[in-house]
Amino acid sequence: MPDLERHELIQPLDRALVIFSHPDDAEFGAAATIAHLTAAGARVDYVVTTDGGKGTEDPEVTSAQLTAVREAEQRAAADVLGVGEIVHLGYPDGYLEPTLALRRDIVRQLRRFRPDLVIAQNPVRRQDGNPFIGHPDHLATGEATLAAVYPAARDRLNFPELLDEGLEPWKVRQVLVSGVERPNLFVDVSGTFDVGMQALLCHVSQIPDPVATEERVRQRAVELGEPVGLALANAFLSILIG
Ligand SMILES: [Zn+2]
C-alpha cells in the first residue's frame, strides 16, 4: 500500500477540541501534542463522552465514586497541559453506541467551541497485531465524532434544534485521528513529552505502575518518530476537510 500524503498541522490554529471516551484517553493518545498546541498559543478544550465509571478492579469502589475520582484526575491532567474547559457528556462507561443522540451532543459542542482542529479517537477496530483489542467506547466515540464533524456540525439542517439554542453551523478544518494503523501526521513532541507524561500520571486510579507506563509511552513515541527522523513523536491520521 503506498504511503499516505504527509500532512502538517494547519495554520493558523487558534482553537482545538479533543473528543474522547474516558478520562485518561486524551493524555494516553495525545498529551504531548496537546501541550505543544497550548504552548503555541492555541486554546484547547475537552469533551469526554462517558462517565468513566467502570475503570476499576476494586470491588469496594462504586461507579459514582470512581466517576468523581476520575473527573478530578482529568481536571488535574488538563491543568498541567493548559487545557480550558472540560465537558462531561456523562454517558455510562462501557455501553456507548454511536447514536444520533451522541452525534447531536458532540455537534452541540463543536458549534459552541468552534475549533479549527479536532483530535478524535479511531472508529476502526484495528487488526494489525497490536496488543489492544480496541475499546467499544473508543470506536463509538470516534464514529460519532467524525459524523458530527462532517456533515452534521457544518450543515444547518442537521439537528435544527441546535439553531434554536443559538448554535450556528461550524466547519472544522482538520481532524487528527489517534491510534491509527497508518499515520500521516507526526508531531515532534521532544520538547513537551515530559509535561505530557506529568499530565498522564495525574490519572492515578488508572496507572498502578507509573514507571512501566512512562517506559511504554516513551517507547511508543520513539517508535513513531523513528521513521520520520524525530526523537519522540505523536502520530495521527490527518484529514483536511475541503
Ligand atoms: Zn478509554
Side-chain angles (χ1 to χ4, degrees), residues 21-22 24-25 121 135 138:
S21 304
H22 311 110
D24 79 3
D25 292 339
Q121 292 185 296
H135 195 295
H138 297 181

